[in-house]
Amino acid sequence: MSEHIPEDLVLYELNDGVATITLNRPEVRNAQNGKLLYALDRAFQRFAFDDEAKVAILAGNGPHFSSGHDLGPTGDRETTFDRVSLWWDHVGKEGAENRFARESELYVGLCRRWRDLPKPTIAAVQGACIMGGLMLAWSCDLIVASEDAYFADVAVDFGIPGVELFAHPWELGSRKAKEFLFTADRLSAGDAHAAGMVNHVVPRAELMEFSTALATRIAGRPRIGLALAKQAVNQCDDLMGYRSGTDSVFGLHQLAHAHNAEVIGHMNGPGSTDLVKKALARDAK
């Protein structure tokens, strides 16, 4: 069983209880514009409501998982979509009313919504997983990375503390998170595994086979047990400050946007697209 979500931006395939949800903008390294993220939300809704779908794998078509948010001309920043929260539409608004509304819904809101899915999810990551790509992978319960995968957040180069959903301390630990942000160096799949952010590292050719086998193994276990185990871990993370911490840093993120807009004239600062391109091209250190 296989079908395309409208506009073919996200592919959905269900086999033997495992839903494979694939980002399908390989021509821009699966950069995330609004159309892609809402198509992804529709795919996750379908997974959530289908009793035959037990576990989902989130993958990226092409050589890279995701290069993050689309900061280029196809980023559709001034486009209205069918929203899933009760925030006002950002389109036509100015200043913080625009930025806060858009990013609360499109980035933090959707990622938290996917994190709270009652069914297990696995991110299968290859190549680049940069900035907004981190938030998609972190929204999943498990991460399987290919040996050539790498992770980066260059937000400090924009004068911004980190991506909108600031899960870095929970994913990497405080000291590694600081180094990751301060240096903007790539984190290799092996280093991410050593830090506990990634569950498994496998050869690139085996990424989907391994992820599917892991998903199939999980899919055979009781649904209610899996849902409660997932909720238990997420609740413990929240009690350790995940929810309040990410809320707090989202405010700092918006402060940085406001500073850039006032001082530089652009919320991300000039050359933000070039900074992401450099992160993609930078040799691993």
Side-chain angles (χ1 to χ4, degrees), residues 10 22 44 76-77 83 105 138 185 187 201 285:
V10 173
T22 306
F44 273 131
D76 62 19
R77 295 195 61 85
R83 298 181 304 283
E105 158 91 3
W138 289 346
D185 284 346
L187 190 67
V201 179
K285 297 182 179 178

Side-chain angles (χ1 to χ4, degrees), residues 211-283:
S211 299
T212 302
L214 179 60
T216 301
R217 179 182 174 194
I218 294 169
R221 311 202 71 206
R223 177 171 60 186
I224 185 65
L226 291 170
L228 294 178
K230 174 172 180 171
Q231 188 174 39
V233 175
N234 283 357
Q235 286 179 347
C236 287
D237 276 342
D238 289 342
L239 288 169
M240 290 186 283
Y242 177 90
R243 179 72 186 224
S244 58
T246 53
D247 277 344
S248 175
V249 180
F250 184 62
L252 298 178
H253 186 100
Q254 296 304 315
L255 172 63
H257 279 326
H259 174 80
N260 285 342
E262 180 178 345
V263 174
I264 305 170
H266 188 285
M267 61 180 282
N268 289 324
S272 54
T273 302
D274 290 338
L275 289 172
V276 174
K277 289 180 179 177
K278 288 179 181 178
L280 282 162
R282 181 183 295 148
D283 292 331

